[in-house]
Amino acid sequence: MFEGLDFGPGLDVAARSSIGAGALQRAENQDNCVLVDAHGNGAWLVDGAPRHTRIPGWPPGHVRLAVLDGMGGHGHGREAAEAAAAGLLAIPACTDVASLSQHLEALHGVLQRRFDALGEAGPRPGTTLSLLEIAPGGQALLWHTGDSRLVEVSAGQVHPLTVDHVPATAYAMSGLLGEADWRRQVHGEHWPQIAQAFILGNTFADPLRLDDGLYALTGDNLPPWLRALPDRRALALRPGATYLLATDGFWSCADPREFVARWPRLFARGDAAAGIDALFDEMEARPPVGLQPDNLTAIVLRLRTPRRDETALPESN
């Protein structure tokens, strides 16, 4: 779907976005994604179609990947996701969580004021945003808000690396929901409700009103079983593992765990392109039970294993 991008010798990346799977479809694709390759070539979606640009001054080898899911229930979901995606392409490459957060918080405020200025009735639009920033030879930086996800698939297992910003998480943070119930509600069921989104704001600070700011979930405010998964952190990507950035259309169904359990098989083929083909093909050929009409967007990332040059001479002593 996104041709001509080169993520360098160490990263294998593939991305795809569609209006959905199955007989029932949404009216439009309100998802988006952002890819900036190792040479400063950027891509995102405009009206559901790929658009490409060149980012001047982008440092060689630096990569940015993000998925966004516009909130259709609030209106202007596609426009919110598009505006945020375009804004991401204007943010300079970042090498630490603090500077990345500063730029994203500023973009959140700018877009919030832009949509508020429209003066339209109804709730402010919003979008999820799950982003990986990868410097050459360095760790990845994760920045996350909403209920899209980053997951790691390896050794026959699927490990979520983000925490959904949903009411169940707010209840868990307040001590009103235990671990078993939280995992059942968030990963064993699907509820189309959200407690925070980019541009929209959050209800974590005060559950009775929408706060304009973004509320970072950290080791200090998350319950013990989630403290290792703060929203904004450095992340060591493991060779041999597959990483999936995805919007919630892939688990908008009656039994999300059953479908997610298929992912190790789908990504066992090796490269990112084969994995993303398998994921979308599975959605069409063997959709999960009770699949709800929703947009589908995914980015698959793998670290390439360096090839050993068998013809090289041994080093002299």
Side-chain angles (χ1 to χ4, degrees):
M1 184 175 188
F2 297 95
E3 304 297 333
L5 298 179
D6 178 6
F7 296 91
L11 296 178
D12 179 21
V13 177
R16 189 187 298 184
S17 183
S18 77
I19 199 169
L24 297 177
Q25 301 279 321
R26 292 283 182 93
E28 63 178 353
N29 187 359
Q30 298 189 338
D31 283 1
N32 215 302
C33 61
V34 170
L35 301 100
V36 182
D37 75 4
H39 308 284
N41 299 304
W44 78 113
L45 297 176
V46 177
D47 292 330
R51 182 76 60 88
H52 294 262
T53 190
R54 174 76 175 174
I55 303 174
W58 190 259
H62 200 98
V63 168
R64 177 174 294 157
L65 307 170
V67 297
L68 307 95
D69 183 353
M71 297 175 62
H74 283 211
H76 298 291
R78 178 182 58 77
E79 292 85 351
E82 279 186 13
L88 292 181
L89 293 167
I91 292 176
C94 298
T95 56
D96 62 86
V97 172
S99 61
L100 179 62
S101 295
Q102 183 178 7
H103 284 292
L104 289 170
E105 294 272 5
L107 177 61
H108 167 77
V110 167
L111 295 181
Q112 203 168 66
R113 292 187 291 274
R114 181 189 302 177
F115 280 98
D116 285 350
L118 297 177
E120 297 192 7
R124 178 190 295 149
T127 179
T128 72
L129 171 57
S130 298
L131 178 147
L132 281 177
E133 186 94 348
I134 308 171
Q139 286 186 317
L141 304 178
L142 169 66
W143 200 96
H144 165 74
T145 188
D147 65 350
S148 297
R149 292 175 186 168
L150 172 67
V151 300
E152 179 188 274
V153 184
S154 62
Q157 296 182 328
V158 179
H159 300 285
L161 298 178
T162 51
V163 175
D164 288 11
H165 293 178
V166 293
T169 299
Y171 298 147
M173 292 165 63
S174 300
L176 301 176
L177 198 65
E179 179 177 4
D181 287 334
W182 180 87
R183 294 193 184 280
R184 175 181 55 80
Q185 291 188 28
V186 174
H187 291 282
E189 303 172 358
H190 182 72
W191 299 90
Q193 297 174 318
I194 200 165
Q196 175 164 243
F198 203 73
I199 305 174
L200 176 69
N202 83 90
T203 56
F204 284 122
D206 183 348
L208 299 180
R209 70 178 184 90
L210 181 66
D211 186 271
D212 285 344
L214 292 171
Y215 191 94
L217 306 192
T218 71
D220 293 329
N221 57 36
L222 285 167
W225 66 89
L226 295 175
R227 283 178 185 162
L229 303 176
D231 294 336
R232 310 172 185 185
R233 69 183 191 275
L235 182 67
L237 302 178
R238 299 191 305 111
T242 296
Y243 294 90
L244 175 69
L245 279 165
T247 57
D248 70 342
F250 291 100
W251 51 91
S252 297
C253 59
D255 188 0
R257 286 176 177 165
E258 184 279 328
F259 186 67
V260 170
R262 305 183 206 175
W263 292 1
R265 170 178 58 82
L266 301 180
F267 294 118
R269 300 183 187 183
D271 69 353
I276 208 163
D277 286 346
L279 178 63
F280 277 80
D281 290 348
E282 189 82 2
M283 290 293 294
E284 287 289 352
R286 290 167 291 278
V289 175
L291 180 65
Q292 300 296 310
D294 203 353
N295 306 141
L296 302 169
T297 300
I299 300 175
V300 174
L301 165 68
R302 291 177 61 88
L303 298 188
R304 285 196 174 103
T305 303
R307 291 185 176 181
R308 181 180 177 183
D309 187 352
E310 299 295 342
T311 64
L313 294 173
E315 295 182 0
S316 300
N317 293 325

